[in-house]
């Protein structure tokens, strides 16, 4: 049986960072992971370049049943702090847009940074090494050991256990519900889990008329009305949420940044509203085209749409509209069409209402929403309020960031808050 000050379970972004930080703060740290490869989720992130943070990361960019929980950790260790560490390691990076920072090279650079930080902290890493059980010691030993961790490589005694096992997203690289099950073992409530930042799918019959558009992309504004908070009372009004991003048609539905973002807010059974021409009142533009115009509708429609709308989509949209409004034929003279038909065409593209049947699930979800209820954790330290010495960090917690580096920043911030708290309160 071996002894450590801290045992971190999960060698992803949060676990690696927490282990390295704790080690450099003078703690004896053991890092465990059941997977053979380290940090696979980092490796595949950001198209292989790792969108490692966002310059604009604020509490408002995170979802949680307890929305103020993330404030303390984000303030303790900011995006600027991690950017400074990236610079310290000599990693070149660039901003893509909206504050999203990517490595100029590859995601491996961030993995190497984290491994180097662990080496500098003298972290013992055992991988692959499964955890069979975590047991609380009723009467802590003289050395402050409050837990026994039963692993594939023997039993470890420790005063602090940090759970950084993530969510269910991308099971092919080893995602499991270990962290959630362990939390329940110690009496914690789990906010129901669901795929987030995921492509949306549609009923095959409903989607048949759009399948031919697979591969078409364009900038849109997409809007959804999220569910009311669990503790909402009376006439609580939920404000719609909108994102201005690119949309991508697929064979099964919709994807692209706009859809991934809105998927975290979408409530099953509820429609999305998508504006294919943000900032342009298409109905007004078509009515204006009637004045003294001899153009055919197909030409007026093309002229009204922004250049970013692909021709394939413009034509398909007009043909689909004609199935409901027979007057809207390609060759119809726009000057002879009724305003009500032109309004219907314009509004159908400015406020396309469509109801997804589901998401592509955990296989393609970038993160998992839900997790350990944060009302049972300290926002300053990530420590359990139910079991002293037990901590939860990163994606396993009910804190889910927007697309664009926000989830990595939560990993860094929650990990550092945890490491510093353990070092400050070590028996």
């Amino acid at each position: 049986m071996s002894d450590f000050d801290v045992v971190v379970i999960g060698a992803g972004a949060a676990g690696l960072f927490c282990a390295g930080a704790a080690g450099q703060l003078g703690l004896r740290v053991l890092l465990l992971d059941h997977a053979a490869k380290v940090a696979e989720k980092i490796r595949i992130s950001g198209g292989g370049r790792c969108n490692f943070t966002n310059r604009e990361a604020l509490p408002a960019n995170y979802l949680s049943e307890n929305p103020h929980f993330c404030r303390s950790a984000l303030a303790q260790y900011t995006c600027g702090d991690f950017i400074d560490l990236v610079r310290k390691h000599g990693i070149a990076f660039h901003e893509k847009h909206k504050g999203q920072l990517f490595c100029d090279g590859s995601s491996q650079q961030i993995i190497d940074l984290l491994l180097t930080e662990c080496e500098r902290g003298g972290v013992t890493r055992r991988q692959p090494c499964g955890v069979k059980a975590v047991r609380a010691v009723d009467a802590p030993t003289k050395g402050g050991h409050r837990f026994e961790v039963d692993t594939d490589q023997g039993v470890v005694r420790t005063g602090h256990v940090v759970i950084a096992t993530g969510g269910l997203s991308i099971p092919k690289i080893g995602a499991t519900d270990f962290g959630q099950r362990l939390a329940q073992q110690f009496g914690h409530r789990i906010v129901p889990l669901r795929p987030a930042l995921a492509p949306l799918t549609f009923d095959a019959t409903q989607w048949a008329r759009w399948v031919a558009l697979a591969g078409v992309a364009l900038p849109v504004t997409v809007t959804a009305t999220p569910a009311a908070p669990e503790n909402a009372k009376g006439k609580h009004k939920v404000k719609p949420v909108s994102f201005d991003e690119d949309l991508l048609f697929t064979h099964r539905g919709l994807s692209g940044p706009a859809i991934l973002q809105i998927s975290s807010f979408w409530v099953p059974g509820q429609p999305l509203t998508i504006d294919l021409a943000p900032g342009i009142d298409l109905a007004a533009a078509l009515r204006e085209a009637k004045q003294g115009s001899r153009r055919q509708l197909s030409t007026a429609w093309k002229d009204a749409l922004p250049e970013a709308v692909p021709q394939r989509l413009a034509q398909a949209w007009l043909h689909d509209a004609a199935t409901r409004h027979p007057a809207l034929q390609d060759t119809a003279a726009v000057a002879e069409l009724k305003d009500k038909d032109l309004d219907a065409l314009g509004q159908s593209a400015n406020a396309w209402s469509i109801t997804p049947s589901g998401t592509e699930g955990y296989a393609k979800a970038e993160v998992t929403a839900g997790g350990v209820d944060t009302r049972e954790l300290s926002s300053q330290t990530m420590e359990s309020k139910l079991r002293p010495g037990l901590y939860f960090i990163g994606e396993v917690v009910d804190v889910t960031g927007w697309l664009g580096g926000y989830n990595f920043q939560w990993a860094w911030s929650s990990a550092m808050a945890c490491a510093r708290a353990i070092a400050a309160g070590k028996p």
Side-chain angles (χ1 to χ4, degrees):
M1 184 177 292
S2 55
D3 296 349
F4 289 88
D5 296 322
V6 187
V7 173
V8 180
I9 303 175
L16 281 164
F17 196 56
C18 183
Q24 292 182 51
L25 289 170
L27 299 169
R28 295 172 299 137
V29 182
L30 173 63
L31 177 61
L32 303 172
D33 199 292
H34 70 102
K37 294 182 179 180
V38 65
E40 278 295 282
K41 198 167 184 181
I42 296 177
R43 191 185 310 280
I44 65 175
S45 67
R49 291 180 183 267
C50 188
N51 180 192
F52 57 82
T53 192
N54 193 297
R55 290 190 189 277
E56 302 170 8
L58 295 170
N61 302 118
Y62 294 85
L63 291 75
S64 174
E65 280 193 357
N66 182 15
H68 299 296
F69 176 82
C70 63
R71 289 182 178 276
S72 179
L74 291 172
Q76 289 182 58
Y77 191 83
T78 68
C79 58
D81 292 324
F82 193 76
I83 291 168
D84 288 343
L85 183 62
V86 169
R87 288 195 174 108
K88 179 181 176 182
H89 281 258
I91 299 173
F93 61 90
H94 61 278
E95 182 174 335
K96 189 173 181 181
H97 80 145
K98 296 186 176 180
Q100 300 172 13
L101 301 185
F102 291 78
C103 298
D104 286 356
S106 76
S107 302
Q108 185 62 43
Q109 293 174 291
I110 299 298
I111 298 173
D112 291 342
L113 176 157
L114 296 170
L115 292 174
T116 298
E117 291 294 302
C118 284
E119 290 172 7
R120 290 173 178 172
V123 174
T124 300
R125 182 162 61 92
R126 296 177 186 171
Q127 192 173 4
C129 181
V131 175
K132 300 176 182 178
V134 177
R135 296 182 292 273
V137 178
D138 291 335
T141 65
K142 186 176 180 180
H145 299 126
R146 293 180 284 193
F147 299 93
E148 289 182 351
V149 182
D150 189 0
T151 80
D152 292 342
Q153 299 180 30
V155 178
V156 180
R157 294 187 304 182
T158 183
H160 309 274
V161 173
V162 179
I163 306 301
T165 50
L168 303 181
S169 303
I170 320 181
K172 69 179 181 181
I173 61 173
T176 74
D177 65 348
F178 174 90
Q180 290 80 9
R181 286 187 285 110
L182 189 137
Q184 290 177 315
Q185 172 191 327
F186 286 101
H188 282 272
R189 172 180 176 264
I190 301 299
V191 175
L193 306 181
R194 56 190 174 85
L197 302 182
L200 295 174
T201 58
F202 296 83
D203 175 79
T205 302
Q206 178 189 20
W207 196 247
R209 65 183 187 270
W210 305 120
V211 168
L213 294 176
V216 167
L218 72 159
V220 303
T221 298
V222 58
T223 303
T225 301
E230 188 180 74
N231 58 355
K233 298 179 180 179
K235 297 181 180 180
H236 179 89
K237 291 186 177 180
V238 179
K239 295 181 180 179
V241 175
S242 296
F243 289 97
D244 298 312
E245 289 281 4
D246 285 353
L247 172 147
L248 173 69
F249 283 81
T250 72
H251 287 96
R252 288 167 48 84
L254 297 171
S255 188
I259 297 302
L260 299 187
Q261 291 281 37
I262 209 67
S263 71
S264 297
F265 297 88
W266 172 67
V267 177
Q270 296 298 310
L272 300 177
T273 301
I274 302 174
D275 186 349
L276 302 175
I280 299 175
D281 185 337
L282 293 174
L286 289 170
R287 288 197 304 272
E288 185 177 344
K290 286 181 63 174
Q291 308 306 315
S293 172
R294 296 183 179 180
R295 287 177 293 173
Q296 292 183 342
L297 176 59
S298 59
T299 302
W301 176 237
K302 179 181 176 182
D303 292 344
L305 291 168
E307 292 183 5
V309 176
Q311 186 62 26
R312 282 171 59 196
L313 176 57
Q315 291 175 343
W317 204 266
L318 184 55
H319 292 163
D320 185 71
T323 63
R324 294 182 298 280
H325 303 274
L328 297 174
Q329 300 298 317
D330 288 12
T331 56
V334 67
E336 297 177 4
L337 291 171
K338 296 179 179 179
D339 283 354
K340 67 175 184 179
D341 289 325
L342 294 177
D343 289 349
L345 173 59
Q347 291 167 7
S348 71
N350 277 139
W352 179 26
S353 180
I354 187 166
T355 302
S357 59
T359 76
E360 289 283 5
Y362 291 115
K364 293 188 177 181
E366 297 206 7
V367 294
T368 302
V372 179
D373 190 339
T374 59
R375 287 165 289 209
E376 299 170 349
L377 305 177
S378 164
S379 61
Q380 286 78 34
T381 68
M382 306 292 118
E383 186 176 19
S384 167
K385 294 178 181 178
L386 309 181
R387 177 62 62 171
L390 180 63
Y391 300 76
F392 296 89
I393 61 175
E395 191 180 345
V396 74
V397 174
D398 176 34
V399 174
T400 304
W402 291 6
L403 182 73
Y406 298 99
N407 287 292
F408 275 128
Q409 185 56 48
W410 171 246
W412 316 139
S413 296
S414 59
M416 184 59 79
C418 175
R420 288 173 175 169
I422 295 174
K426 177 189 172 185

